């Protein structure tokens, strides 16, 4: 007998969603690390240096907007941002590993978390439509639709099986 034939067939869609979640976690970790690297730095000066190197108009609306927002960011806020990013990345990594291992709890967890963020994505889309936001919304909606359908199919199959207690 071949080991390939004896192995359980992998669910490629769950693996794809798992890869998406792990990639998302890696991006969140990089944002968290970036926030920590900005600690004890003058963000306004950093933005001015970046705008100079990019040869942007230092008197433009965008630069003034960014400088105004940078003045609101202090070390405490940067620490909170990085903590949130690391925590959310940890959840994404747990989701990704659980989905890759085809754990039912991970499918429920991912469906629940994905569904919980859809209202915020809709609000962001109402506020301002961009291709990135639309793409993210569509991907998350597809992930949720697949997971819900997958979980419902599993439940239907299990309900048809004979009860082992009887």
């Amino acid at each position: 007998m071949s080991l390939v034939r004896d192995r359980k067939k992998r669910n490629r869609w769950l693996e794809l969603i798992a890869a998406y979640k792990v990639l998302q976690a890696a991006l969140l970790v990089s944002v968290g690390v970036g926030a920590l690297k900005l600690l004890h730095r003058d963000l306004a000066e950093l933005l001015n240096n970046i705008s100079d190197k990019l040869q942007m108009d230092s008197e433009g609306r965008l630069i003034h907007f960014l400088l105004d927002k940078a003045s609101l960011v202090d070390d405490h806020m940067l620490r909170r941002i990085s903590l949130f990013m690391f925590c959310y990345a940890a959840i994404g990594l747990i989701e990704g590993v659980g989905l890759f291992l085809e754990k039912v709890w991970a499918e429920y967890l991912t469906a629940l978390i994905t569904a919980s963020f859809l209202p915020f994505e809709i609000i962001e889309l109402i506020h301002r439509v961009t291709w990135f936001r639309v793409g993210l919304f569509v991907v998350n909606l597809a992930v949720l639709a697949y997971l819900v359908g997958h979980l419902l199919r599993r439940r239907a199959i299990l309900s048809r099986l004979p009860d082992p207690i009887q």
Side-chain angles (χ1 to χ4, degrees), residues 8 11 104 107-108 146 148-164:
K8 179 183 168 201
N11 185 324
V104 176
E107 295 168 12
Y108 278 102
Y146 176 78
V148 168
H150 178 70
L151 289 166
L152 290 173
R153 283 188 299 279
R154 175 182 283 135
R155 179 173 272 176
I157 290 169
L158 290 175
S159 70
R160 286 182 268 168
L161 292 176
D163 191 3

Side-chain angles (χ1 to χ4, degrees), residues 40-107:
H40 313 300
R41 306 236 353 233
D42 183 359
L43 294 182
E45 182 181 327
L46 182 67
L47 286 172
N48 273 327
N49 290 340
I50 291 171
S51 70
D52 288 344
K53 288 186 186 199
L54 295 175
Q55 298 176 351
M56 296 178 75
D57 179 19
S58 60
E59 299 298 320
R61 281 184 22 192
L62 176 63
I63 300 300
H64 277 287
F65 172 79
L66 291 174
L67 290 173
D68 285 343
K69 296 302 177 186
S71 67
L72 301 174
V73 178
D74 59 4
D75 284 353
H76 180 67
M77 181 180 281
L78 287 170
R79 283 188 191 95
R80 286 189 307 187
I81 290 169
S82 66
L83 178 64
F84 176 78
M85 293 296 140
F86 292 140
C87 289
Y88 192 45
I91 293 169
L93 190 59
I94 290 168
E95 287 176 284
V97 170
L99 288 172
F100 184 76
L101 297 173
E102 296 187 20
K103 300 294 184 183
V104 176
W105 59 263
E107 295 168 12

Side-chain angles (χ1 to χ4, degrees), residues 19-31:
Y20 170 65
K21 290 298 181 175
V22 170
L23 177 64
Q24 198 176 45
L27 290 172
L28 291 169
V29 166
S30 65
V31 171

